[in-house]
Amino acid sequence: MLGKLLKHEFRATGRVMLPVLGVTLVLAVLANFSVRWLEMVDSNILQLLLGMVVAGFGRCGFAAGVMSLVVMIDRFYKNLLRDEGYLMFTLPVSVHGLVWSKLIVSFVWFVVTGLVIVLALGITAVNFSNLDLAETFRQLPSLGEALQAFYRATGLNGGHVAAFIAEFAILVVISALCVCLHFYAAMALGHCFSNRKLLMSILFFIGINILLSIVSPILGVSFGVGISHEAVVSASDAFRVMQKVIFAVMGYELVQGAVLYAATTLSLKKGLNLA
């Protein structure tokens, strides 16, 4: 059933996200040519138009990032907390399945949007007239040699780098899910009330963030004091400390996410008021 929910969610959100991301890439190509042509044209009108294209790309890239967040909030609100909720909660699927379908789809769109924005920036920056793919591929062996030199100089190896990338990727996943759960928990708690549901959702969101803004520095200072005695005299020592920081943040995000997830699911199960 989760698969069917995911398919439905991707269809519903794709109608909004795919056109936005497509326009972002098209504007990136146009912005690339506009930047090149700005150096060659003398007409003030043409320069103004080309400048507007570049500015439009910047705004569209920002809008794409915001839209992924807006779609995430909108789908949870309309699909579970409005009239559609009467249908969704009659499906043969648990509340956990409903929430995870939203979390997974939102995370995928976050990742896709981030990749598209990075790709768009790359397209804008590349000078296609001077691009030499053959030369780029010829330089790859030298990059490998530079990496080996880095390993020899620092005492690290490919395993260290792979571990760091994997740990950082896991942290990004957990953090992205926590961002979603901040909104989900606030909306679910706010809709346990019979009146002023949106206002209560906003107040819960503000309250959650105020609480976290108090707890986070306290834990951060405590952890900082705990590792302040760590001796960092080599790259491997710095890597070890960095891993401790990543694991500490990961643990904090996991606890935070678990609490917000419990608040979301319990509110949807026990206290949701669709009237």
Side-chain angles (χ1 to χ4, degrees), residues 143-191:
L143 293 176
E145 293 171 2
L147 196 58
Q148 291 299 322
F150 168 77
Y151 291 153
R152 289 194 295 271
T154 60
L156 301 176
N157 54 47
H160 290 108
V161 174
F164 175 79
I165 292 173
E167 291 159 5
F168 188 77
I170 294 171
L171 177 59
V172 169
V173 172
I174 296 171
S175 299
L177 296 179
C178 280
V179 169
C180 297
L181 288 168
H182 281 185
F183 292 95
Y184 292 174
M187 287 189 287
L189 289 167
H191 280 72

Side-chain angles (χ1 to χ4, degrees), residues 205-270:
F205 182 78
I206 294 172
I208 289 170
N209 282 277
I210 290 175
L211 179 62
L212 292 175
S213 68
I214 296 172
V215 173
S216 299
I218 295 174
L219 294 178
V221 170
S222 301
F223 178 74
V225 171
I227 65 170
S228 60
H229 66 279
E230 295 275 350
V232 180
V233 296
S234 65
S236 59
D237 293 333
F239 177 80
R240 186 182 65 254
V241 172
M242 203 160 26
Q243 277 191 312
K244 288 185 178 181
V245 171
I246 289 176
F247 283 127
V249 176
M250 196 183 299
Y252 170 71
E253 292 287 319
L254 280 172
V255 172
Q256 178 190 150
V259 173
L260 293 172
Y261 181 82
T264 302
T265 54
L266 289 175
S267 297
L268 294 176
K269 282 181 181 179
K270 307 295 184 181

